[in-house]
Amino acid sequence: YRDLHTFELQAPTRLIEWVRGNRVCVAGYGQSDGNEILQLIPPPTLLTKETQGLCPERDFKVECGGFSERPVYSLKYVPDTSLLVTSGPPDSSLQVWQVSAEDSDVIKSVSTIATENGTGQSWAKIATISARAPWVLHGSTLDRVQITEVESRRNVYTAASRGSEELSTLAFLDCNTLLLCCATGRLCLADVRQPQSLVEALSVPSAPCSEQWCMGTRHGAQGLEPSSQPVARLSSRGLLTLTDLRKTSEFLALAKARVPSPGSEFLCVSWAPALEGYLAISGFDGTVHVYNTQSWDSSGREVEPVFVHKGHAFGGAGGSGDPPLVTVHTWHLQKPRTLLSAASDGSLHVWDWVEPCGKC
């Protein structure tokens, strides 16, 4: 490591979201009521562009917070606003939150976005954008995908699909193009301007029916088409696929991560926003693995990580007595080699890694 900070949360969290002013939002998922939503100020060393030397303040600080009556399974910041959108059991409705002004330390609930026939549906996966207006893309199954204007709660788009597959990940590629990943690994492209158009992209290699998949999209440099950025998919067996959406007839790369056991519901794969060709995976145990994909091919061979974060695994046992499980990770938006990760024991880590053998 070049640097490592830790922070202990009151409850386990399954999400980390960067918000305005380089703040971090986290939320609890473990309680039936009283789950905290917190906005944290990172350690000062994370607020500077260059890595600093020793710093007296090494902890996160709670800036404001609130409580959700339901577990929070997904949380997204609405860009260019002071709003958060969350989702979680027992249905597919969304909750909208206002992060209060500087003179208040309260995150308060301001509205609920109900979904048609939402009762009985699993919790909604969500993505947000503010290119035209503050929008939230949400849905729990392929035939329940829609875009809602956050402030007015007006429906602006409903995808046309007869399939009812469970969704694992949703993403805006730009203000018109959506990418949907089913739990089976199936990818679908949709266009807001053509509601009846839902195009299936490349399917994943044949796998057991019980295998689960998630997706990670990479935001490219300014001026690059979003479709030119590869999409990574991760399976609960550790299979990784990279796909170019401009040519979906073949894989860019196919690889196998060495995982100790099948992944959990916390599967996570993410591209480094400021480091070309690097991605990270978690959700199999108490570790986060970082990979350099630039040498990958379509052979499906086993690949070795360039770095493994093991801090959560040695941090103690979770509430059930089992070893902690990493529930989520995310990359710092500007610092190329800095990641944040959270685990089932409530630990929150931020770490700056160094590639071995002087490769960095």
Side-chain angles (χ1 to χ4, degrees), residues 319-360:
S320 64
D322 298 323
L325 172 69
V326 172
T327 53
V328 69
H329 72 265
T330 188
W331 294 79
H332 193 283
L333 300 179
Q334 289 85 36
K335 292 180 176 289
R337 296 176 182 271
T338 301
L339 290 92
L340 288 84
S341 54
S344 56
D345 61 350
S347 59
L348 174 64
H349 291 182
V350 55
W351 36 284
D352 195 1
W353 59 279
V354 178
E355 219 166 323
C357 304
K359 294 179 182 178
C360 63

Side-chain angles (χ1 to χ4, degrees), residues 23-354:
R23 272 35 176 181
V24 176
C25 269
V26 297
Y29 70 87
Q31 306 297 326
S32 57
D33 57 10
N35 290 280
E36 284 187 304
I37 300 177
L38 301 175
Q39 181 169 291
L40 307 175
I41 303 175
T45 54
L46 280 190
L47 302 179
T48 58
K49 291 186 178 180
E50 300 296 332
T51 300
Q52 303 296 307
L54 292 175
C55 182
E57 294 290 340
R58 297 183 58 84
D59 289 335
F60 287 85
K61 291 184 177 179
V62 177
E63 185 173 35
C64 54
F67 288 93
S68 170
E69 294 181 354
R70 61 171 69 198
V72 181
Y73 277 27
S74 185
L75 178 151
K76 294 293 180 182
Y77 167 59
V78 183
D80 304 320
T81 72
S82 59
L83 300 175
L84 305 171
V85 181
T86 65
S87 66
D91 55 38
S92 59
S93 64
L94 310 180
Q95 289 69 51
V96 181
W97 303 81
Q98 175 81 50
V99 179
S100 300
E102 294 180 359
D103 58 349
S104 174
D105 60 359
V106 176
I107 297 177
K108 61 180 179 180
S109 176
V110 292
S111 65
T112 296
I113 298 175
T115 53
E116 185 179 356
N117 298 323
T119 303
Q121 296 289 323
S122 62
W123 61 280
K125 285 67 178 180
I126 55 181
T128 55
I129 197 171
S130 288
R132 296 174 179 168
W135 283 359
V136 56
L137 169 67
H138 56 105
S140 57
T141 56
L142 198 56
D143 57 350
R144 302 286 182 188
V145 176
Q146 60 189 75
I147 296 175
T148 302
E149 194 172 277
V150 176
E151 294 170 317
S152 68
R153 288 175 282 174
R154 179 177 64 92
N155 177 266
V156 295
Y157 168 83
T158 301
S161 175
R162 296 180 180 177
S164 59
E165 295 177 59
E166 181 184 353
L167 291 168
S168 66
T169 325
L170 307 178
F172 281 102
L173 297 181
D174 56 34
C175 61
N176 293 313
T177 314
L178 320 173
L179 187 62
L180 319 174
C181 181
C182 298
T184 59
R186 178 186 176 194
L187 280 184
C188 292
L189 279 165
D191 194 310
V192 173
R193 298 161 296 186
Q194 302 174 15
Q196 300 305 312
S197 174
L198 196 64
V199 180
E200 182 173 355
L202 184 68
S203 297
V204 294
S206 57
C209 296
S210 59
E211 190 165 20
Q212 299 292 302
W213 291 80
C214 68
M215 135 185 115
T217 56
R218 182 174 184 270
H219 300 289
Q222 189 173 3
L224 288 180
E225 289 293 326
S227 60
S228 70
Q229 302 306 304
V231 175
R233 279 175 285 181
L234 170 68
S235 84
S236 52
R237 289 189 301 139
L239 190 63
L240 284 153
T241 71
L242 306 185
T243 306
D244 186 335
L245 294 178
R246 299 168 302 178
K247 189 178 181 181
T248 59
S249 59
E250 60 187 43
F251 293 113
L252 277 178
L254 184 64
K256 178 71 168 63
R258 184 182 300 171
V259 296
S261 59
S264 67
E265 60 179 317
F266 301 111
L267 279 181
C268 183
V269 57
S270 63
W271 285 103
L275 194 62
E276 185 70 30
Y278 283 74
L279 59 75
I281 68 170
S282 62
F284 298 91
D285 54 13
T287 65
V288 182
H289 290 205
V290 177
Y291 292 90
N292 182 353
T293 69
Q294 294 179 81
S295 63
W296 290 7
D297 54 32
S298 56
S299 65
R301 62 185 174 87
E302 189 171 87
V303 290
E304 293 291 333
V306 296
F307 188 84
V308 180
H309 174 60
K310 301 179 180 179
H312 297 286
F314 297 112
S320 64
D322 298 323
L325 172 69
V326 172
T327 53
V328 69
H329 72 265
T330 188
W331 294 79
H332 193 283
L333 300 179
Q334 289 85 36
K335 292 180 176 289
R337 296 176 182 271
T338 301
L339 290 92
L340 288 84
S341 54
S344 56
D345 61 350
S347 59
L348 174 64
H349 291 182
V350 55
W351 36 284
D352 195 1
W353 59 279
V354 178

